[in-house]
Amino acid sequence: MPDLIDGSENVSVHGIFNWILLLIIFSIITVIGNYLGYKHPMTDSLIGMGILSLITLIGVWLERELPFNISSILYISVIGILIAFPGMPTSEFVLYYVSHVELLSIVTVFLAYVGIGMGKSWDEFKALGWRAVVITILVIAATYYGAAIVAHIVLVLTGVPAV
Amino acid sequence: MPLIYTIILGLVFYLAKPIKWIQRKQARIAEGAMMLFIGVLIAKLAVSSGQSISLIFKMGPALILQELGHLATILVLPIALLLGFKKEAIGMTNSIGREPNVAVVVDKYGFNSAESRGVFAIFIIGTVIGTIFISFLVTFSLSFLPLHPYAFAMASGVGSASMNAAAIGPTLAAFPGLETQIEAFAGFSNLLSFCVGIYIVIFVALPLTEKIYDWLEPKIGREALVPETEDE
């Protein structure tokens, strides 16, 4: 495979085609997982993945094209929230098809790539001592529990029933 | 847990020497492609957020305040000092040490500073073990901590897309019937961690970590360990 990603530093047509190709591959794998694991009809979830891929493409493209130093994650989030907003003409269509894409099917395929990407940092990882590993584990746990406990206290104080 | 299996399979395929067709170049492509696939994941979460926007506004106080809960990382600072870290500890414990946090620390202390070395260490280790560790942590917590389902959902937005993804999986499985709400809160809280969290790090977490470091270091700081300086 040629360097699929290296062309994506600036938006050439070349880069965009590669992104689309990657998104199509990703969508197909996800739809198959979605069908096998959750029995969602293939066409519905394929359209759902199409919508999600399109949002992603626009978001990534905006990040490269607009002069602001804003991450594509923010563009994608705003577009996603807007088109699903109750009352928007697009919302019914989007919600119907996107609801046929299980989050877990996306996550599973995504994490396989995370695993391969992780392998790349393996040598640097081995060079760090066990003390740093201990600190990392504690830091992640502290972030998670800190947020969970504060959220829980506020939810209880504001009287949100435990569903 | 299919999630952990896929991560481990991906890692094993890369590391296993006999498997020739996933090499460094493919890994680089996988890493670049990941940026694109994060987008799809974020888009799905955003659609759930948009759908539940009125619920999100209703839970606004909890969503905003739980961002301050991330300050709990500073509690790890004394342990880092006891283990023999010096200024590195400031970079290590001010936040979870993902991309935006690395940028803030490098920007403030310079690329070759001890603080930056600390945050790089957390970043690399977090990349390698973070996803697996957080899915175990969440699975464990779900069965032992009697917290509100929404609190678990909000907490999974730690400011890293892959850790967010790994934390949502078990949470969704534990509360069937609440999928949309959990996705909405998890996605929105991760978004907040990205855009609000960074200012909390700049204006609250880093200055606070420095203050506590100056106060604690003379009291409990150890001799910098020789092997430790070699490592970094």
Side-chain angles (χ1 to χ4, degrees), chain A residues 122-158:
Chain A
W122 194 252
D123 293 333
E124 289 154 297
F125 171 70
K126 278 191 302 191
L128 293 159
W130 62 270
R131 292 182 186 81
V133 175
V134 171
I135 301 296
T136 309
I137 285 177
L138 292 176
V139 161
I140 295 174
T143 301
Y144 183 74
Y145 286 130
I149 290 166
V150 172
H152 178 75
I153 293 172
V154 178
L155 287 169
V156 169
L157 289 182
T158 50

mmCIF file of all heavy atoms in Angstrom, chain A residues 122-158:
data_model
loop_
_atom_site.group_PDB
_atom_site.id
_atom_site.type_symbol
_atom_site.label_atom_id
_atom_site.label_comp_id
_atom_site.label_asym_id
_atom_site.label_seq_id
_atom_site.Cartn_x
_atom_site.Cartn_y
_atom_site.Cartn_z
ATOM 1 N N TRP A 122 5.780 0.843 21.344
ATOM 2 C CA TRP A 122 6.230 -0.210 22.235
ATOM 3 C C TRP A 122 7.667 -0.012 22.731
ATOM 4 O O TRP A 122 7.963 -0.159 23.909
ATOM 5 C CB TRP A 122 6.097 -1.565 21.529
ATOM 6 C CG TRP A 122 6.216 -2.736 22.437
ATOM 7 C CD1 TRP A 122 7.259 -3.596 22.505
ATOM 8 C CD2 TRP A 122 5.263 -3.179 23.415
ATOM 9 N NE1 TRP A 122 7.013 -4.553 23.460
ATOM 10 C CE2 TRP A 122 5.792 -4.310 24.032
ATOM 11 C CE3 TRP A 122 4.009 -2.708 23.826
ATOM 12 C CZ2 TRP A 122 5.134 -5.013 25.045
ATOM 13 C CZ3 TRP A 122 3.354 -3.394 24.830
ATOM 14 C CH2 TRP A 122 3.906 -4.521 25.423
ATOM 15 N N ASP A 123 8.585 0.358 21.799
ATOM 16 C CA ASP A 123 9.989 0.492 22.184
ATOM 17 C C ASP A 123 10.195 1.650 23.157
ATOM 18 O O ASP A 123 10.909 1.519 24.145
ATOM 19 C CB ASP A 123 10.859 0.686 20.939
ATOM 20 C CG ASP A 123 10.861 -0.569 20.080
ATOM 21 O OD1 ASP A 123 10.655 -1.657 20.654
ATOM 22 O OD2 ASP A 123 11.053 -0.452 18.863
ATOM 23 N N GLU A 124 9.532 2.770 22.868
ATOM 24 C CA GLU A 124 9.631 3.903 23.789
ATOM 25 C C GLU A 124 9.048 3.524 25.144
ATOM 26 O O GLU A 124 9.560 3.893 26.180
ATOM 27 C CB GLU A 124 8.840 5.104 23.242
ATOM 28 C CG GLU A 124 9.469 5.750 22.038
ATOM 29 C CD GLU A 124 8.433 6.454 21.198
ATOM 30 O OE1 GLU A 124 7.528 5.766 20.685
ATOM 31 O OE2 GLU A 124 8.520 7.685 21.064
ATOM 32 N N PHE A 125 7.970 2.736 25.083
ATOM 33 C CA PHE A 125 7.306 2.301 26.313
ATOM 34 C C PHE A 125 8.261 1.486 27.175
ATOM 35 O O PHE A 125 8.379 1.693 28.374
ATOM 36 C CB PHE A 125 6.074 1.487 25.933
ATOM 37 C CG PHE A 125 5.405 0.801 27.090
ATOM 38 C CD1 PHE A 125 4.728 1.538 28.038
ATOM 39 C CD2 PHE A 125 5.453 -0.580 27.227
ATOM 40 C CE1 PHE A 125 4.111 0.908 29.107
ATOM 41 C CE2 PHE A 125 4.843 -1.208 28.286
ATOM 42 C CZ PHE A 125 4.172 -0.463 29.225
ATOM 43 N N LYS A 126 8.994 0.569 26.530
ATOM 44 C CA LYS A 126 9.873 -0.310 27.288
ATOM 45 C C LYS A 126 11.001 0.467 27.958
ATOM 46 O O LYS A 126 11.539 0.048 28.978
ATOM 47 C CB LYS A 126 10.457 -1.383 26.357
ATOM 48 C CG LYS A 126 9.495 -2.542 26.155
ATOM 49 C CD LYS A 126 10.164 -3.718 25.464
ATOM 50 C CE LYS A 126 10.737 -3.310 24.120
ATOM 51 N NZ LYS A 126 11.153 -4.451 23.309
ATOM 52 N N ALA A 127 11.371 1.624 27.365
ATOM 53 C CA ALA A 127 12.484 2.394 27.916
ATOM 54 C C ALA A 127 12.105 3.109 29.217
ATOM 55 O O ALA A 127 12.976 3.519 29.973
ATOM 56 C CB ALA A 127 12.958 3.406 26.881
ATOM 57 N N LEU A 128 10.809 3.267 29.481
ATOM 58 C CA LEU A 128 10.386 3.977 30.687
ATOM 59 C C LEU A 128 10.323 3.007 31.862
ATOM 60 O O LEU A 128 10.011 1.840 31.695
ATOM 61 C CB LEU A 128 9.011 4.611 30.457
ATOM 62 C CG LEU A 128 9.013 5.742 29.437
ATOM 63 C CD1 LEU A 128 7.627 5.964 28.891
ATOM 64 C CD2 LEU A 128 9.553 7.011 30.059
ATOM 65 N N GLY A 129 10.635 3.505 33.029
ATOM 66 C CA GLY A 129 10.700 2.617 34.191
ATOM 67 C C GLY A 129 9.339 2.257 34.749
ATOM 68 O O GLY A 129 8.323 2.833 34.361
ATOM 69 N N TRP A 130 9.342 1.279 35.653
ATOM 70 C CA TRP A 130 8.071 0.837 36.240
ATOM 71 C C TRP A 130 7.428 1.945 37.065
ATOM 72 O O TRP A 130 6.213 1.992 37.212
ATOM 73 C CB TRP A 130 8.290 -0.403 37.101
ATOM 74 C CG TRP A 130 9.204 -0.179 38.276
ATOM 75 C CD1 TRP A 130 10.552 -0.326 38.286
ATOM 76 C CD2 TRP A 130 8.823 0.271 39.588
ATOM 77 N NE1 TRP A 130 11.042 0.002 39.523
ATOM 78 C CE2 TRP A 130 10.016 0.367 40.347
ATOM 79 C CE3 TRP A 130 7.603 0.591 40.197
ATOM 80 C CZ2 TRP A 130 10.012 0.784 41.676
ATOM 81 C CZ3 TRP A 130 7.608 0.999 41.525
ATOM 82 C CH2 TRP A 130 8.797 1.091 42.251
ATOM 83 N N ARG A 131 8.248 2.850 37.619
ATOM 84 C CA ARG A 131 7.671 3.916 38.448
ATOM 85 C C ARG A 131 6.729 4.785 37.629
ATOM 86 O O ARG A 131 5.664 5.180 38.080
ATOM 87 C CB ARG A 131 8.770 4.779 39.046
ATOM 88 C CG ARG A 131 9.592 4.040 40.066
ATOM 89 C CD ARG A 131 10.650 4.937 40.669
ATOM 90 N NE ARG A 131 11.511 4.158 41.543
ATOM 91 C CZ ARG A 131 12.513 3.413 41.119
ATOM 92 N NH1 ARG A 131 12.795 3.362 39.836
ATOM 93 N NH2 ARG A 131 13.237 2.713 41.974
ATOM 94 N N ALA A 132 7.138 5.068 36.386
ATOM 95 C CA ALA A 132 6.286 5.887 35.529
ATOM 96 C C ALA A 132 4.991 5.149 35.198
ATOM 97 O O ALA A 132 3.925 5.759 35.074
ATOM 98 C CB ALA A 132 7.034 6.267 34.255
ATOM 99 N N VAL A 133 5.072 3.822 35.076
ATOM 100 C CA VAL A 133 3.863 3.034 34.800
ATOM 101 C C VAL A 133 2.899 3.135 35.985
ATOM 102 O O VAL A 133 1.694 3.334 35.811
ATOM 103 C CB VAL A 133 4.222 1.556 34.509
ATOM 104 C CG1 VAL A 133 2.959 0.719 34.354
ATOM 105 C CG2 VAL A 133 5.079 1.457 33.259
ATOM 106 N N VAL A 134 3.458 3.030 37.201
ATOM 107 C CA VAL A 134 2.616 3.155 38.395
ATOM 108 C C VAL A 134 1.902 4.507 38.402
ATOM 109 O O VAL A 134 0.680 4.586 38.612
ATOM 110 C CB VAL A 134 3.473 3.001 39.681
ATOM 111 C CG1 VAL A 134 2.647 3.341 40.912
ATOM 112 C CG2 VAL A 134 4.028 1.607 39.773
ATOM 113 N N ILE A 135 2.659 5.572 38.126
ATOM 114 C CA ILE A 135 2.065 6.911 38.150
ATOM 115 C C ILE A 135 0.976 7.030 37.079
ATOM 116 O O ILE A 135 -0.102 7.567 37.330
ATOM 117 C CB ILE A 135 3.142 7.996 37.937
ATOM 118 C CG1 ILE A 135 4.219 7.910 39.021
ATOM 119 C CG2 ILE A 135 2.518 9.383 37.942
ATOM 120 C CD1 ILE A 135 3.749 8.180 40.411
ATOM 121 N N THR A 136 1.232 6.490 35.881
ATOM 122 C CA THR A 136 0.228 6.588 34.811
ATOM 123 C C THR A 136 -1.075 5.912 35.226
ATOM 124 O O THR A 136 -2.160 6.473 35.055
ATOM 125 C CB THR A 136 0.747 5.923 33.522
ATOM 126 O OG1 THR A 136 2.035 6.439 33.227
ATOM 127 C CG2 THR A 136 -0.191 6.200 32.367
ATOM 128 N N ILE A 137 -0.951 4.713 35.791
ATOM 129 C CA ILE A 137 -2.145 3.978 36.201
ATOM 130 C C ILE A 137 -2.925 4.775 37.256
ATOM 131 O O ILE A 137 -4.141 4.936 37.170
ATOM 132 C CB ILE A 137 -1.736 2.588 36.741
ATOM 133 C CG1 ILE A 137 -1.360 1.699 35.552
ATOM 134 C CG2 ILE A 137 -2.850 1.962 37.556
ATOM 135 C CD1 ILE A 137 -0.881 0.330 35.958
ATOM 136 N N LEU A 138 -2.189 5.335 38.217
ATOM 137 C CA LEU A 138 -2.861 6.107 39.258
ATOM 138 C C LEU A 138 -3.507 7.365 38.693
ATOM 139 O O LEU A 138 -4.605 7.744 39.097
ATOM 140 C CB LEU A 138 -1.854 6.481 40.360
ATOM 141 C CG LEU A 138 -1.343 5.305 41.198
ATOM 142 C CD1 LEU A 138 -0.287 5.768 42.169
ATOM 143 C CD2 LEU A 138 -2.502 4.659 41.947
ATOM 144 N N VAL A 139 -2.827 8.003 37.734
ATOM 145 C CA VAL A 139 -3.368 9.239 37.155
ATOM 146 C C VAL A 139 -4.667 8.951 36.405
ATOM 147 O O VAL A 139 -5.659 9.675 36.543
ATOM 148 C CB VAL A 139 -2.320 9.902 36.231
ATOM 149 C CG1 VAL A 139 -2.964 10.884 35.275
ATOM 150 C CG2 VAL A 139 -1.256 10.611 37.061
ATOM 151 N N ILE A 140 -4.669 7.866 35.619
ATOM 152 C CA ILE A 140 -5.894 7.535 34.869
ATOM 153 C C ILE A 140 -7.027 7.207 35.843
ATOM 154 O O ILE A 140 -8.156 7.684 35.701
ATOM 155 C CB ILE A 140 -5.639 6.350 33.910
ATOM 156 C CG1 ILE A 140 -4.633 6.763 32.829
ATOM 157 C CG2 ILE A 140 -6.946 5.906 33.248
ATOM 158 C CD1 ILE A 140 -4.210 5.624 31.925
ATOM 159 N N ALA A 141 -6.718 6.415 36.869
ATOM 160 C CA ALA A 141 -7.747 6.054 37.839
ATOM 161 C C ALA A 141 -8.265 7.306 38.548
ATOM 162 O O ALA A 141 -9.470 7.458 38.753
ATOM 163 C CB ALA A 141 -7.187 5.055 38.848
ATOM 164 N N ALA A 142 -7.366 8.230 38.913
ATOM 165 C CA ALA A 142 -7.777 9.437 39.624
ATOM 166 C C ALA A 142 -8.688 10.298 38.758
ATOM 167 O O ALA A 142 -9.704 10.816 39.226
ATOM 168 C CB ALA A 142 -6.548 10.239 40.051
ATOM 169 N N THR A 143 -8.351 10.432 37.471
ATOM 170 C CA THR A 143 -9.203 11.216 36.573
ATOM 171 C C THR A 143 -10.599 10.621 36.520
ATOM 172 O O THR A 143 -11.602 11.316 36.647
ATOM 173 C CB THR A 143 -8.626 11.219 35.153
ATOM 174 O OG1 THR A 143 -7.333 11.768 35.197
ATOM 175 C CG2 THR A 143 -9.481 12.026 34.215
ATOM 176 N N TYR A 144 -10.643 9.293 36.332
ATOM 177 C CA TYR A 144 -11.927 8.624 36.174
ATOM 178 C C TYR A 144 -12.764 8.730 37.446
ATOM 179 O O TYR A 144 -13.915 9.165 37.417
ATOM 180 C CB TYR A 144 -11.692 7.163 35.792
ATOM 181 C CG TYR A 144 -12.968 6.406 35.540
ATOM 182 C CD1 TYR A 144 -13.695 6.610 34.375
ATOM 183 C CD2 TYR A 144 -13.464 5.511 36.483
ATOM 184 C CE1 TYR A 144 -14.873 5.929 34.147
ATOM 185 C CE2 TYR A 144 -14.644 4.823 36.261
ATOM 186 C CZ TYR A 144 -15.341 5.039 35.094
ATOM 187 O OH TYR A 144 -16.508 4.370 34.882
ATOM 188 N N TYR A 145 -12.158 8.366 38.590
ATOM 189 C CA TYR A 145 -12.926 8.405 39.837
ATOM 190 C C TYR A 145 -13.267 9.832 40.240
ATOM 191 O O TYR A 145 -14.357 10.082 40.761
ATOM 192 C CB TYR A 145 -12.158 7.699 40.961
ATOM 193 C CG TYR A 145 -12.166 6.206 40.812
ATOM 194 C CD1 TYR A 145 -11.014 5.465 40.875
ATOM 195 C CD2 TYR A 145 -13.371 5.547 40.583
ATOM 196 C CE1 TYR A 145 -11.027 4.089 40.718
ATOM 197 C CE2 TYR A 145 -13.396 4.170 40.425
ATOM 198 C CZ TYR A 145 -12.224 3.455 40.497
ATOM 199 O OH TYR A 145 -12.258 2.095 40.327
ATOM 200 N N GLY A 146 -12.345 10.765 40.019
ATOM 201 C CA GLY A 146 -12.627 12.167 40.345
ATOM 202 C C GLY A 146 -13.889 12.630 39.642
ATOM 203 O O GLY A 146 -14.817 13.168 40.262
ATOM 204 N N ALA A 147 -13.946 12.397 38.329
ATOM 205 C CA ALA A 147 -15.098 12.833 37.549
ATOM 206 C C ALA A 147 -16.352 12.081 37.973
ATOM 207 O O ALA A 147 -17.424 12.674 38.153
ATOM 208 C CB ALA A 147 -14.826 12.632 36.063
ATOM 209 N N ALA A 148 -16.233 10.756 38.162
ATOM 210 C CA ALA A 148 -17.411 9.948 38.486
ATOM 211 C C ALA A 148 -18.004 10.382 39.830
ATOM 212 O O ALA A 148 -19.225 10.515 39.966
ATOM 213 C CB ALA A 148 -17.042 8.472 38.529
ATOM 214 N N ILE A 149 -17.132 10.623 40.820
ATOM 215 C CA ILE A 149 -17.644 10.942 42.152
ATOM 216 C C ILE A 149 -18.254 12.341 42.173
ATOM 217 O O ILE A 149 -19.345 12.543 42.716
ATOM 218 C CB ILE A 149 -16.519 10.761 43.199
ATOM 219 C CG1 ILE A 149 -16.229 9.257 43.340
ATOM 220 C CG2 ILE A 149 -16.910 11.360 44.536
ATOM 221 C CD1 ILE A 149 -14.957 8.919 44.064
ATOM 222 N N VAL A 150 -17.588 13.313 41.541
ATOM 223 C CA VAL A 150 -18.172 14.655 41.486
ATOM 224 C C VAL A 150 -19.517 14.610 40.762
ATOM 225 O O VAL A 150 -20.517 15.171 41.228
ATOM 226 C CB VAL A 150 -17.217 15.655 40.798
ATOM 227 C CG1 VAL A 150 -17.901 16.988 40.573
ATOM 228 C CG2 VAL A 150 -15.957 15.842 41.630
ATOM 229 N N ALA A 151 -19.567 13.921 39.607
ATOM 230 C CA ALA A 151 -20.816 13.832 38.854
ATOM 231 C C ALA A 151 -21.907 13.198 39.707
ATOM 232 O O ALA A 151 -23.046 13.680 39.753
ATOM 233 C CB ALA A 151 -20.607 13.021 37.576
ATOM 234 N N HIS A 152 -21.547 12.131 40.421
ATOM 235 C CA HIS A 152 -22.540 11.444 41.243
ATOM 236 C C HIS A 152 -23.088 12.372 42.334
ATOM 237 O O HIS A 152 -24.300 12.461 42.528
ATOM 238 C CB HIS A 152 -21.908 10.204 41.885
ATOM 239 C CG HIS A 152 -22.840 9.454 42.788
ATOM 240 N ND1 HIS A 152 -23.854 8.663 42.307
ATOM 241 C CD2 HIS A 152 -22.938 9.412 44.134
ATOM 242 C CE1 HIS A 152 -24.530 8.147 43.314
ATOM 243 N NE2 HIS A 152 -23.995 8.590 44.446
ATOM 244 N N ILE A 153 -22.183 13.090 43.013
ATOM 245 C CA ILE A 153 -22.628 13.987 44.084
ATOM 246 C C ILE A 153 -23.560 15.056 43.526
ATOM 247 O O ILE A 153 -24.633 15.317 44.083
ATOM 248 C CB ILE A 153 -21.399 14.629 44.778
ATOM 249 C CG1 ILE A 153 -20.620 13.544 45.531
ATOM 250 C CG2 ILE A 153 -21.822 15.743 45.717
ATOM 251 C CD1 ILE A 153 -19.295 14.008 46.087
ATOM 252 N N VAL A 154 -23.178 15.672 42.386
ATOM 253 C CA VAL A 154 -24.024 16.728 41.820
ATOM 254 C C VAL A 154 -25.371 16.158 41.386
ATOM 255 O O VAL A 154 -26.420 16.765 41.629
ATOM 256 C CB VAL A 154 -23.314 17.432 40.642
ATOM 257 C CG1 VAL A 154 -24.213 18.486 40.032
ATOM 258 C CG2 VAL A 154 -22.005 18.041 41.095
ATOM 259 N N LEU A 155 -25.363 14.970 40.768
ATOM 260 C CA LEU A 155 -26.619 14.366 40.324
ATOM 261 C C LEU A 155 -27.539 14.092 41.518
ATOM 262 O O LEU A 155 -28.742 14.332 41.455
ATOM 263 C CB LEU A 155 -26.344 13.063 39.564
ATOM 264 C CG LEU A 155 -25.757 13.218 38.159
ATOM 265 C CD1 LEU A 155 -25.287 11.880 37.615
ATOM 266 C CD2 LEU A 155 -26.769 13.834 37.212
ATOM 267 N N VAL A 156 -26.959 13.607 42.606
ATOM 268 C CA VAL A 156 -27.776 13.314 43.785
ATOM 269 C C VAL A 156 -28.302 14.615 44.402
ATOM 270 O O VAL A 156 -29.479 14.720 44.751
ATOM 271 C CB VAL A 156 -26.963 12.495 44.812
ATOM 272 C CG1 VAL A 156 -27.689 12.416 46.143
ATOM 273 C CG2 VAL A 156 -26.702 11.101 44.271
ATOM 274 N N LEU A 157 -27.418 15.625 44.507
ATOM 275 C CA LEU A 157 -27.832 16.906 45.104
ATOM 276 C C LEU A 157 -28.914 17.591 44.280
ATOM 277 O O LEU A 157 -29.804 18.232 44.830
ATOM 278 C CB LEU A 157 -26.629 17.853 45.252
ATOM 279 C CG LEU A 157 -25.604 17.485 46.320
ATOM 280 C CD1 LEU A 157 -24.505 18.521 46.378
ATOM 281 C CD2 LEU A 157 -26.277 17.321 47.675
ATOM 282 N N THR A 158 -28.848 17.485 42.951
ATOM 283 C CA THR A 158 -29.858 18.117 42.110
ATOM 284 C C THR A 158 -31.068 17.207 41.928
ATOM 285 O O THR A 158 -31.974 17.514 41.156
ATOM 286 C CB THR A 158 -29.288 18.504 40.725
ATOM 287 O OG1 THR A 158 -28.616 17.368 40.182
ATOM 288 C CG2 THR A 158 -28.321 19.663 40.828
#
